Amino acid sequence: MEERVLVFDTTLRDGEQSPGCSMNLQEKLEMARQLDRLGVDILEAGFPVASAGDFESVQAIAAEIRRPVIAALARANRLDIDRAWEALQGAARPRIHTFLATSDIHLKYKLHKTREEVLKLIAWAVGYAKSLCADIEFSPEDAGRTDPDYLVECCHAAVEAGATVLNLPDTVGYCLETEYEQVFSSIKSRVPGMDHVILSTHTHDDLGLAVANTLAGLRGGARQVECTINGIGERAGNAALEEVVMALRVRRETLSLDTDVRTEELYPSSQLLSRLTGVAVQRNKAIVGKNAFAHEAGIHQDGILKNVITYEIMEPQTVGMPANSLVLGKHSGRHALAKRYEELGYPLSKPELDRAYSTFIQIADRKKQVYDEDLIAIVLEGLDHAPQWFTLKLFQSVASSEGRSTATVEVVKDGQTFHDSATGDGPCDAAFRVIDRITGLPGTVSDFSVHTIGEGAQGVAEVTVRASFRGQEFTGKWTGQNVVEAAARAYLQTANRAAHALARVEAAAAAAASTKPVHANARVDSLYPGGY
Ligand code: KIV
Ligand code: ZN
């Protein structure tokens, strides 16, 4: 029987703090629900002292997600620990995760503290956190570059003060596998009282070794792994959860270790994160990339047809990836479409199916074959529950290689149709400007990406736009054959999400100021200063 490895997901903390991966409260909640479905044991929800937004999202996740342990990060000081504990108040199973750097490099250049001072601080911080919460994780930051004897002293201090988990991070992704394994075996054998303490890995991918080092840490005695979906995280990222989990699952007989993760939820988790952040998953990404199970070479295809085990070490369905069969074309009916969506894990309501079917027919008219990935793109687009404050009725654009481009749109807002044109540095810029003018909610685009879904020039463009509105970021995604129109629709979707979120904030403020209940979706005129 394999020993259990606990999975500590830090997508919403270490992952979310990496550039381009920030999420708003609703997005974090949606991701947290998916991580719960995935079956992670510990969910690090954020760093509450970092911002009001971080505090609120930890609080909201702690209140709603009941099964996994909910962890909140805190530096080794009273304010951080108090904020983390406050944010965790509603949690069924709270954990405070406190950290302090221990390498000489960090002590000298960052903390300006002696080894003795840091030792005292560790004992104080862990002891203080323990006086509030039973479950305490301590991380000696940059453990991978810390003097081994001093690391033993730091870990000893943390264990004596009540730490239940010791996480030994390779903060800068510097360690080789043998070195990282040694860090664990040294702490396990030299620190007294380790029988009741769980050792944890936390690796970064600067040298492309994050997953290999995670497995090395397990060989050294770790039984908790810290990782993120799609490997997002600081700089080159953290160990990818899906890779660690599948390495353990596929090789469990050799490693005698396994996790409780529901592997069929790996691909949906990866897709959801990509949709929420707008950061695409590279095609050849292990486990969840589009090519992870695609066999192109004739010799491989021949082998696969004879017996899949010739070239496949796991089945795509095991990780929740739909088999990439092309089944539908323009003659396929609504019933066949509904059935295929069910097989792909998206049972649709009647209105959702109606919408998906009409987009499907448009695409099927232009392309001979509609692939599963096209279908998923269509349905994810449709599953946008934010109310449509603004609807695009008409779109025209004129691009010019010289001078400015023009975009003309017709947008319905509050039941009224507005028609306007604007010029810009390119057709997308022109479209965004005219949309801003009509909505009265100007946004600043921080990320813009286009990639094709499906085969060749007939493929559909998937445009992702990330834009900030009054300091809050939102992502919009749209698929279509016309790239500029898809960009305009994706941008309008960000505006819809922003309008919805801002209205909720204003409605909540209005409700707090008056005794009368205010509907959360109530329209607030001040949302549109200067708009039509
Ligand atoms: O990489 C690191 O050291 C961290 C700690 C805060 C655990 O993320
Ligand atoms: Zn980290």
Side-chain angles (χ1 to χ4, degrees), residues 10 13-14 17 169-171 202-204 234 238:
T10 183
R13 200 279 296 168
D14 215 335
Q17 75 195 40
D170 179 17
T171 303
H202 181 108
T203 58
H204 282 270
E234 279 285 337
N238 290 57

Side-chain angles (χ1 to χ4, degrees), residues 273-284:
L273 181 67
S274 169
R275 176 165 70 88
L276 294 176
T277 58
V279 177
V281 180
Q282 81 196 52
R283 272 187 174 264
N284 62 330

Side-chain angles (χ1 to χ4, degrees), residues 34-340:
Q34 177 58 30
L35 292 169
D36 189 13
R37 272 193 290 280
L38 179 64
V40 303
D41 300 284
I42 302 105
L43 193 165
E44 188 163 51
F47 189 6
V49 83
S51 68
D54 254 56
F55 181 88
E56 279 163 27
S57 50
V58 174
Q59 211 173 29
I61 291 168
E64 184 182 318
I65 309 292
R66 313 306 289 170
R67 184 196 51 82
V69 169
I70 305 295
L73 188 69
R75 285 167 300 186
N77 66 58
R78 189 184 289 269
L79 175 69
D80 279 38
I81 295 171
D82 284 344
R83 286 295 277 169
W85 184 234
E86 206 183 325
L88 287 170
Q89 281 310 291
R93 302 170 68 200
R95 174 182 294 180
I96 297 176
H97 175 191
T98 185
F99 72 100
L100 185 61
T102 51
S103 67
D104 286 336
I105 297 173
H106 279 236
L107 263 59
K108 181 169 176 194
Y109 298 106
K110 189 179 89 173
L111 299 176
H112 307 294
K113 290 198 187 306
T114 64
R115 286 186 175 191
E116 288 67 35
E117 286 171 321
V118 165
L119 262 182
K120 280 195 191 127
L121 263 176
I122 293 172
W124 175 83
V126 173
Y128 179 59
K130 188 78 181 181
S131 72
L132 306 171
C133 176
D135 190 1
I136 303 300
E137 173 165 331
F138 173 68
S139 294
E141 191 190 7
D142 206 15
R145 290 191 301 172
T146 299
D147 168 57
D149 294 334
Y150 181 58
L151 189 62
V152 169
E153 286 184 63
C154 293
C155 290
H156 190 190
V159 171
E160 276 199 320
T164 41
V165 179
L166 275 181
N167 177 45
L168 307 175
D170 179 17
T171 303
V172 290
Y174 176 75
C175 288
L176 300 177
E177 285 170 79
T178 44
E179 294 165 344
Y180 198 55
E181 179 177 344
Q182 181 58 34
V183 172
F184 284 83
S185 33
S186 153
I187 295 302
K188 196 173 159 65
S189 61
R190 294 175 61 194
V191 175
M194 286 302 295
D195 292 350
H196 306 293
V197 176
I198 294 171
L199 279 174
S200 170
T201 65
H202 181 108
T203 58
H204 282 270
D205 211 25
D206 301 68
L207 294 176
L209 293 173
V211 173
N213 280 345
T214 300
L215 300 180
L218 290 171
R219 282 198 297 278
R223 288 297 175 265
Q224 174 182 289
V225 287
E226 298 199 356
C227 28
T228 59
I229 300 294
N230 296 340
I232 64 166
E234 279 285 337
R235 308 180 308 279
N238 290 57
L241 184 148
E242 58 280 3
E243 296 178 22
V244 173
V245 163
M246 288 313 290
L248 295 178
R249 181 63 50 89
V250 171
R251 302 307 309 274
R252 65 178 180 265
E253 276 164 26
T254 309
L255 299 171
S256 296
L257 297 171
D258 201 358
T259 71
D260 283 333
V261 163
R262 286 181 210 107
T263 60
E264 326 74 67
E265 293 293 341
L266 288 170
Y267 184 70
S269 305
S270 160
Q271 288 289 298
L272 177 65
L273 181 67
S274 169
R275 176 165 70 88
L276 294 176
T277 58
V279 177
V281 180
Q282 81 196 52
R283 272 187 174 264
N284 62 330
K285 166 84 180 61
I287 316 294
V288 291
K290 288 214 163 78
N291 289 358
F293 296 91
H295 303 274
E296 182 72 25
I299 199 164
H300 286 208
Q301 289 179 349
D302 179 54
I304 286 283
L305 289 174
K306 287 175 176 150
N307 191 332
V308 287
I309 62 168
T310 50
Y311 286 102
E312 230 166 63
I313 58 167
M314 57 198 150
E315 292 180 335
Q317 301 88 294
T318 317
V319 301
M321 191 182 275
N324 197 14
S325 51
L326 51 101
V327 282
L328 300 176
K330 68 176 180 180
H331 300 299
S332 308
R334 202 177 282 262
H335 183 68
L337 187 69
K339 188 157 180 306
R340 188 64 192 144

